[in-house]
Amino acid sequence: MSVYETFKKSFWGPTIAWKRLFTKPVTIQVPRVYREASERYRGFHVNDWELCSGCSTCSKVCPTDAIKMVPVDIEVESGKKAQRPAIDYGRCSFCAMCVDICTTGSLNMTREYIHISDDANTFFFLPDETGIHHQEVPLGYQRDEASELLDLERVEMEELPADERVDSFIEYVKGYSREQAIAEASRCVDCELCVDVCPANMDIPRYIESVFKNDTSEGVEWIYKTNPLPGVCGRVCTHKCETACSIGNRGEPVAIRWLKRYIMDQESVEDIIKHSKENISKKGKGKIAIIGAGPSGLSASYYLSLMGYKVTIFEAKELPGGVMRYGIPRYRLPDEALDKDIDVIKALGVEIKCNTTVGKDITLTELKNKYDAVFLGTGFMLGRSTKVPGTDHEDVLMALPLLEKIRDYLRDPENSEKPPVPDSLIVIGGGNVAMDVARSIARLQRMEGKKVNVKVTSLESMEELPADLEEIVEGREEGIQFFPSRGPKEVIIENEKIKGLKTIACTRVFDDDGRFSPEFDESDVMTIDGEMIVEAIGQAPDYSYLPNELREKLEFVRGRLMVNEKGQTSIPWLFAGGDIVNGPDIIHGVADGHKAAVGIDEFLTREEG
Amino acid sequence: MSKEVKLFLGPNHPGMHGNSSVHLYVEGDTVVKARLVPGFLHRGFEKLMEKRLWFQNLALIPRICVPEPDINEMVFAMAIESLTKTEIPERAHWIRMIILELARIASHLMAMGGIGGATGLYTMPYWTMPDRDRILDIFEKITGARIYHMYIIPGGVRKDLPGGIEKEILAVLDYLESRKPEYENLLLKHRVIRTRTKGIAKLTKEEALEMGVTGVGLRATGLPYDIRKIDPYARYDKVEFSVPTATEGDAYARFTLKYLEVQQSINIIRQCIDMMPKEGPVNIKFTRGSALRLRVPAGSIYCHVESSRGEYGYFVVSDGGEMPYRIHVRGASYPQGLYGVESKLPGTRLEDVALWLGTMDFCSPEIDR
Ligand code: SF4
Ligand code: SF4
């Protein structure tokens, strides 16, 4: 088809534009006539420093390397970094991906688009609330649900439903499949905020990356650099890392703990042993005694063995593991997971002498004479009592001995004493141990065909409860009833039998400085019915194995031993860690054990030199 | 006896044709040899893409075609969606078509203005550029940017349309249509333009096919080759439009087709606004994880769309990693910009060189990629 004929030649064609000669030009003078940009305009950035966590995710997504993280001199809370993004507008392509991915929502773009300066340095700046020109500028492009570049939802972990799990002590968390683990790992933005918060400073982003790459044996290598109890920690760690996870600012934090468990579940004990043995150095010469085969003792023994030391652990109980073996219920931490971790440690040549109580079967002084250094990891094994009237009744029990009895019974019903299973139980306390007791007894009640009748009462309000949120949620699902903000007043006893617990309202637990200083309202009285009571308000150390002359030389602060940053006490050959130094927390114990191993090595090599 | 002289056309913006350099060897005012020297603009896109995460490439690719950046976003998104076997939400298809057609109009307007530089009729860019600006205003409102929109993303589009934008788009379309008589008088019926462009920079069907020329270059030789028709993407099979063709194959024919295609695009956008679902999601997360950890399943795919310059395609190879393994861009300007310049310019008069570059839509970064 010819287009020549579509438009006929026009006589007026050449003059058609002339009539425009007198119309007003549409030229916009810049910057004297300011043209307001549209609402979504992608102009210069602003960043709310209060919100920004310094996670550097914006800098990682930036396709042009326009963002540099710059150290700033500000006070930052834990879980944040003292650095903020600075933007080089010589590079920025104004794509706003940094805005779409910002983990906190602190970074935004403005409608500001004019910046004229002959100083090129002013094009590189640290956006704060006031933007580039330090004046109020309307916000421009904002992230919305559609433009979100993060994955805010966790890959759900399969668990047994409450009515099935409360019937038995089998592990109710099923673990991730490979696809699930990779999907969960792909949510990580590698911000490393978790590393700073983890007491053991585990290389979390690295092992998560190994899951993402489907290379779990590399993951094991990263994990064992800082934690030789990963099977345990992958199940029951208090996962402080997850509270720092930057994705948690706007969504659900990455399931770091479950990913660790996933890695460990993939690798066989033989492979882990092989890997560990490859890292043994022959450097260390000497013998170390460790008291207590709990988290800190086991951790110290692992790293000391890697350094070439001969390590012997003295453990009072029949089996190693301490609180992990005797305190934590099986449904959260099955023996097999713990044994796998301990088998690796044993394979390095660590000798564990069980049923050997220091102070009774062997004295500390003897250990000092036979070994080059001694590490104390004896934990908090004594219970604490509220000491309210009636707590001396035989049906008022301490949490740890009861949990121990339950564990022993489940492990070997034939040769163990059966734990008491009351029709109704009151647990005093709001921490994880209280939850362990409550949920264990609930299970036993169901297993015996009884109705679940367990009540937990605590000084703290529901929001303040120190137990992990999932413990509370799951406990509730299993039928545990909560009586928060109540202080125990007296155990009600009739005919020598416990009838319940008289409580008064607790109006405040902590003072303005956050110190424990409860206040009560005596007029608000309530009786909680129950025929057995368990006190789970905290544990205490038992230092009876310390001879007086040593005890005098050691420094204590509120029951805890003072050590330096290498775990060394004021007695040079004596090191300590775990609960007796940092309070009850497995991962702290692991970190302390590692630190002390380095400290002991330094102490001994310096001695030699 | 005349003397052969070597002239450099570019790499300083010669009119609107971007900044490649063409070395012209002329005798008198007749070109005897032409050599394209590419590489002065945005170089090495394809290699750069292998070093960027899938998502980061969204900020890079629009630069391959500055006048019509959105087609890059479209083919890139289409490729990822095919490799991940994702069906995107219905509304996103229609929004994408609106964006693509607006971009097409903007690009055609820019090209039509470019002819003004080549023919000395500077009123043309003075009209087409501000008119194009109205479309850029719309883009700014929808995407937050005037030129590099980064709006069509794998999975759909980045954000939903802002409220009331349809009305504004229609108003701009009405305005453009109201300009038709003036444009036609000034451009298409203008004696100078007709004299300067008819029979100039001619291309036959055989030559076009031989070189791989597509778009108006090919359609001006009589072949109704338009990807929107022969291999419809988005919802082009649901809208009605015809593909204008011509037989002359010269600068005037190409120029006229561009003009007629603007009207086609206006019709398409009107239909989109009518037919699109009024609400619903505009994108889909086709894989879990943050944008930093997007992986595209291993495989390869060629996706193509109709750009204002012709067939525009991406051949994408993924090895299943976080970055593309290889991306090859089939830039529509390449055949006429490289082969065409070297084979068709010899014999033309010096002043007609820019008419080839202009009506053939020579876009430097597509060649510099
Ligand atoms: S807008 Fe894009 S290019 Fe600019 S700093 Fe943000 S991510 Fe980087
Ligand atoms: S992504 Fe957001 S929170 Fe993180 S450093 Fe950048 S601006 Fe701050």
Side-chain angles (χ1 to χ4, degrees):
Chain A
M1 191 194 100
S2 167
V3 286
Y4 281 12
E5 299 312 312
T6 311
F7 300 100
K8 293 271 164 44
K9 215 184 294 175
S10 161
F11 178 76
W12 298 109
T15 60
I16 192 78
W18 287 90
K19 70 172 183 194
R20 298 269 163 193
L21 202 59
F22 304 102
T23 51
K24 201 169 171 277
V26 285
T27 318
I28 299 169
Q29 281 179 303
V30 173
R32 258 183 291 153
V33 181
Y34 188 78
R35 175 190 171 279
E36 171 96 349
S38 69
E39 268 177 45
R40 289 187 181 177
Y41 195 78
R42 303 201 299 256
F44 301 115
H45 300 71
V46 276
N47 188 14
D48 181 343
W49 280 26
E50 288 283 312
L51 269 184
C52 175
S53 62
C55 71
S56 78
T57 309
C58 48
S59 133
K60 284 191 199 93
V61 86
C62 178
T64 59
D65 266 347
I67 304 187
K68 274 195 179 55
M69 297 306 294
V70 172
V72 287
D73 191 16
I74 50 167
E75 282 268 319
V76 289
E77 334 153 8
S78 131
K80 290 189 170 191
K81 280 192 179 156
Q83 56 177 24
R84 293 293 177 263
I87 299 178
D88 179 351
Y89 285 106
R91 305 188 67 105
C92 176
S93 64
F94 295 91
C95 63
M97 286 201 198
C98 48
V99 175
D100 281 351
I101 208 166
C102 173
T103 58
T104 61
S106 65
L107 195 64
N108 277 299
M109 285 181 130
T110 63
R111 289 187 229 168
E112 185 86 304
Y113 62 96
I114 299 172
H115 180 69
I116 299 170
S117 169
D118 45 21
D119 178 2
N121 292 325
T122 63
F123 289 85
F124 179 79
F125 85 110
L126 263 163
D128 57 20
E129 294 81 342
T130 58
I132 195 169
H133 295 138
H134 307 292
Q135 62 199 22
E136 250 333 89
V137 180
L139 282 183
Y141 183 92
Q142 314 275 295
R143 183 199 60 250
D144 63 18
E145 214 182 301
S147 67
E148 178 69 71
L149 292 182
L150 291 178
D151 193 344
L152 299 174
E153 276 169 35
R154 221 173 232 223
V155 175
E156 247 183 79
M157 169 59 73
E158 258 184 83
E159 286 182 7
L160 280 180
D163 54 337
E164 282 178 36
R165 66 178 187 246
V166 74
D167 275 343
S168 76
F169 276 81
I170 57 170
E171 192 175 24
Y172 64 93
V173 175
K174 300 246 178 95
Y176 281 139
S177 67
R178 190 176 72 170
E179 288 69 31
Q180 288 175 319
I182 292 176
E184 183 59 16
S186 71
R187 299 174 62 226
C188 169
V189 290
D190 190 10
C191 68
E192 295 189 352
L193 296 183
C194 47
V195 180
D196 297 342
V197 174
C198 171
N201 300 123
M202 293 192 70
D203 295 294
I204 296 163
R206 299 287 73 76
Y207 70 71
I208 292 185
E209 195 184 3
S210 76
V211 174
F212 181 63
K213 292 194 297 193
N214 194 22
D215 186 350
T216 44
S217 75
E218 186 192 295
V220 167
E221 279 177 40
W222 283 111
I223 287 176
Y224 268 86
K225 280 184 201 298
T226 42
N227 186 345
L229 293 170
V232 170
C233 289
R235 286 170 168 82
V236 296
C237 178
T238 40
H239 55 76
K240 296 187 169 56
C241 49
E242 292 182 21
T243 57
C245 172
S246 56
I247 311 288
N249 286 312
R250 298 196 285 108
E252 296 175 293
V254 174
I256 301 173
R257 182 173 56 170
W258 297 147
L259 288 173
K260 179 158 53 227
R261 167 176 165 178
Y262 167 78
I263 294 176
M264 297 320 299
D265 285 353
Q266 304 314 301
E267 299 296 308
S268 70
V269 83
E270 291 75 30
D271 285 344
I272 305 171
I273 290 171
K274 193 167 149 254
H275 151 75
S276 292
K277 284 193 171 163
E278 279 164 9
N279 291 319
I280 297 180
S281 85
K282 290 274 172 277
K283 167 174 139 287
K285 286 183 210 80
K287 292 191 299 178
I288 321 290
I290 291 179
I291 309 179
S296 64
L298 288 169
S299 166
S301 74
Y302 178 83
Y303 292 108
L304 285 165
S305 315
L306 285 192
M307 293 172 194
Y309 293 99
K310 176 89 197 67
V311 184
T312 310
I313 304 183
F314 297 88
E315 168 58 50
K317 296 256 187 306
E318 192 190 338
L319 293 166
V323 68
M324 303 179 286
R325 173 89 62 189
Y326 291 98
I328 301 172
R330 270 189 79 96
Y331 58 85
R332 288 213 286 142
L333 178 63
D335 278 7
E336 301 73 52
L338 173 61
D339 287 335
K340 187 169 168 181
D341 287 351
I342 295 179
D343 285 348
V344 174
I345 294 169
K346 282 205 231 152
L348 296 192
V350 173
E351 188 188 355
I352 306 180
K353 288 194 171 164
C354 288
N355 296 321
T356 312
T357 308
V358 177
K360 233 195 272 160
D361 302 317
I362 186 164
T363 65
L364 191 54
T365 322
E366 282 174 278
L367 289 183
K368 186 229 172 290
N369 295 336
K370 283 196 189 151
Y371 293 87
D372 300 298
V374 177
F375 175 81
L376 308 178
T378 49
F380 276 9
M381 294 310 274
L382 296 181
R384 282 186 206 275
S385 169
T386 57
K387 298 211 173 81
V388 297
T391 42
D392 48 1
H393 189 282
E394 58 173 5
D395 286 340
V396 177
L397 308 180
M398 288 284 164
L400 280 185
L402 175 63
L403 287 170
E404 188 177 331
K405 208 178 259 179
I406 298 174
R407 268 283 210 163
D408 277 340
Y409 176 70
L410 293 169
R411 191 178 295 119
D412 186 3
E414 308 288 302
N415 302 308
S416 323
E417 187 192 332
K418 187 169 175 291
V421 186
D423 288 343
S424 56
L425 169 75
I426 302 166
V427 183
I428 305 175
N432 282 339
V433 175
M435 297 310 303
D436 286 344
V437 172
R439 297 178 67 184
S440 295
I441 293 291
R443 278 165 170 71
L444 290 171
Q445 285 176 333
R446 274 288 288 267
M447 285 161 73
E448 296 207 343
K450 297 180 178 172
K451 253 186 83 193
V452 172
N453 188 346
V454 178
K455 294 158 184 157
V456 174
T457 180
S458 60
L459 295 181
E460 297 89 352
S461 66
M462 230 31 218
E463 295 70 44
E464 292 167 324
L465 283 187
D468 291 344
L469 186 63
E470 66 240 31
E471 288 285 315
I472 299 163
V473 173
E474 288 162 0
R476 230 192 217 138
E477 288 169 3
E478 290 162 10
I480 315 285
Q481 301 167 54
F482 288 85
F483 294 83
S485 300
R486 312 276 338 153
K489 188 72 183 160
E490 184 188 342
V491 178
I492 303 168
I493 302 168
E494 280 173 24
N495 300 330
E496 292 180 10
K497 288 234 178 304
I498 295 181
K499 285 286 163 209
L501 180 71
K502 186 168 151 196
T503 65
I504 49 171
C506 176
T507 51
R508 189 187 82 167
V509 187
F510 303 100
D511 65 11
D512 294 340
D513 298 329
R515 275 191 300 256
F516 184 73
S517 155
E519 282 179 7
F520 299 97
D521 175 1
E522 299 270 352
S523 64
D524 181 348
V525 181
M526 184 171 111
T527 304
I528 303 171
D529 297 338
E531 58 175 54
M532 190 173 108
I533 293 175
V534 175
E535 293 184 288
I537 58 159
Q539 289 80 242
D542 176 3
Y543 294 123
S544 54
Y545 58 87
L546 284 177
N548 278 342
E549 71 274 16
L550 287 185
R551 198 188 281 228
E552 276 158 22
K553 288 193 201 141
L554 292 169
E555 288 174 57
F556 294 89
V557 178
R558 275 191 254 126
R560 294 187 195 167
L561 255 174
M562 287 281 282
V563 296
N564 67 14
E565 72 283 359
K566 293 281 163 57
Q568 192 172 30
T569 65
S570 36
I571 300 168
W573 54 268
L574 194 60
F575 291 74
D579 298 0
I580 55 170
V581 170
N582 275 312
D585 181 14
I586 293 177
I587 189 68
H588 249 121
V590 169
D592 287 353
H594 192 173
K595 256 186 268 168
V598 176
I600 290 171
D601 179 53
E602 270 180 25
F603 165 67
L604 293 180
T605 36
R606 208 179 313 128
E607 288 266 288
E608 272 175 15
Chain B
M1 204 179 82
S2 58
K3 187 170 166 235
E4 187 179 300
V5 179
K6 185 176 175 188
L7 290 179
F8 290 174
L9 182 74
N12 53 344
H13 266 271
M16 316 264 294
H17 314 129
N19 27 7
S20 273
S21 171
V22 185
H23 290 182
L24 295 169
Y25 299 81
V26 291
E27 264 182 33
D29 57 4
T30 306
V31 176
V32 290
K33 198 166 95 179
R35 284 281 169 270
L36 181 76
V37 188
F40 289 95
L41 196 52
H42 311 146
R43 274 204 280 178
F45 288 103
E46 290 168 336
K47 210 69 208 157
L48 281 174
M49 283 188 231
E50 296 166 15
K51 301 273 172 270
R52 299 256 176 317
L53 301 173
W54 289 98
F55 250 90
Q56 288 177 328
N57 274 311
L58 288 178
L60 178 68
I61 52 179
R63 281 149 179 89
I64 305 180
C65 180
V66 187
E68 196 187 7
D70 312 77
I71 44 165
N72 287 281
E73 300 171 11
M74 183 68 184
V75 274
F76 184 64
M78 281 164 64
I80 296 181
E81 285 152 14
S82 316
L83 289 171
T84 51
K85 301 198 175 40
T86 310
E87 189 43 59
I88 68 163
E90 186 62 17
R91 187 168 157 82
H93 282 300
W94 295 93
I95 298 180
R96 282 179 172 187
M97 278 164 67
I98 294 175
I99 297 290
L100 290 175
E101 292 306 314
L102 283 173
R104 189 176 175 82
I105 300 175
S107 174
H108 273 338
L109 285 176
M110 190 170 172
M112 280 156 59
I115 315 295
T119 54
L121 184 66
Y122 276 98
T123 307
M124 272 211 282
Y126 294 154
W127 283 11
T128 58
M129 295 308 269
D131 285 353
R132 172 178 172 269
D133 241 40
R134 291 177 193 248
I135 297 177
L136 303 194
D137 284 346
I138 297 287
F139 277 136
E140 185 185 318
K141 286 184 181 153
I142 299 178
T143 70
R146 300 179 74 77
I147 305 290
Y148 297 129
H149 310 136
M150 302 170 222
Y151 180 68
I152 298 177
I153 57 163
V157 295
R158 200 150 163 202
K159 276 169 176 272
D160 204 347
L161 296 175
I165 197 75
E166 291 90 342
K167 249 169 103 188
E168 293 185 44
I169 297 174
L170 290 173
V172 170
L173 300 183
D174 288 345
Y175 166 79
L176 288 175
E177 283 185 316
S178 75
R179 302 275 283 148
K180 269 167 70 177
E182 294 193 66
Y183 271 124
E184 286 169 14
N185 263 321
L186 180 74
L187 314 179
L188 297 156
K189 299 178 179 177
H190 197 299
R191 196 178 315 156
V192 176
I193 301 272
R194 290 169 83 98
T195 317
R196 282 291 316 277
T197 55
K198 277 187 178 176
I200 303 297
K202 260 176 98 93
L203 186 72
T204 64
K205 193 193 292 178
E206 291 67 34
E207 286 170 331
L209 289 173
E210 167 93 353
M211 283 194 267
V213 172
T214 50
V216 285
L218 180 59
R219 289 195 288 273
T221 69
L223 263 186
Y225 182 86
D226 185 322
I227 311 286
R228 292 174 299 176
K229 282 281 184 201
I230 59 162
D231 185 13
Y233 45 97
R235 291 290 175 259
Y236 278 106
D237 52 348
K238 298 257 165 33
V239 292
E240 277 174 23
F241 66 105
S242 60
V243 180
T245 54
T247 45
E248 289 82 359
D250 59 6
Y252 183 78
R254 296 193 288 267
F255 185 41
T256 311
L257 290 188
K258 275 184 199 300
Y259 176 76
L260 293 173
E261 286 187 7
V262 170
Q263 182 62 55
Q264 290 293 355
S265 293
I266 293 176
N267 297 344
I268 295 175
I269 299 172
R270 287 190 196 285
Q271 293 178 56
C272 289
I273 292 178
D274 264 2
M275 294 163 73
M276 70 193 287
K278 296 295 164 267
E279 51 198 25
V282 294
N283 67 31
I284 192 164
K285 278 221 175 345
F286 45 87
T287 159
R288 287 214 62 143
S290 78
L292 293 168
R293 289 271 165 95
L294 168 63
R295 277 198 294 213
V296 172
S300 64
I301 186 92
Y302 175 70
C303 287
H304 59 171
V305 294
E306 186 66 28
S307 80
S308 61
R309 284 136 237 278
E311 173 169 348
Y312 200 92
Y314 271 29
F315 179 65
V316 176
V317 185
S318 170
D319 60 358
E322 286 148 76
M323 298 179 195
Y325 176 74
R326 181 83 181 87
I327 293 186
H328 173 73
V329 180
R330 194 242 181 242
S333 311
Y334 194 88
Q336 55 262 41
L338 190 66
Y339 310 136
V341 160
E342 304 208 343
S343 68
K344 295 301 293 179
L345 289 189
T348 56
R349 287 161 60 99
L350 187 53
E351 72 266 27
D352 293 337
V353 167
L355 280 173
W356 172 271
L357 299 176
T359 58
M360 270 299 184
D361 276 338
F362 174 93
C363 183
S364 294
E366 270 182 30
I367 295 167
D368 289 0
R369 64 183 195 261

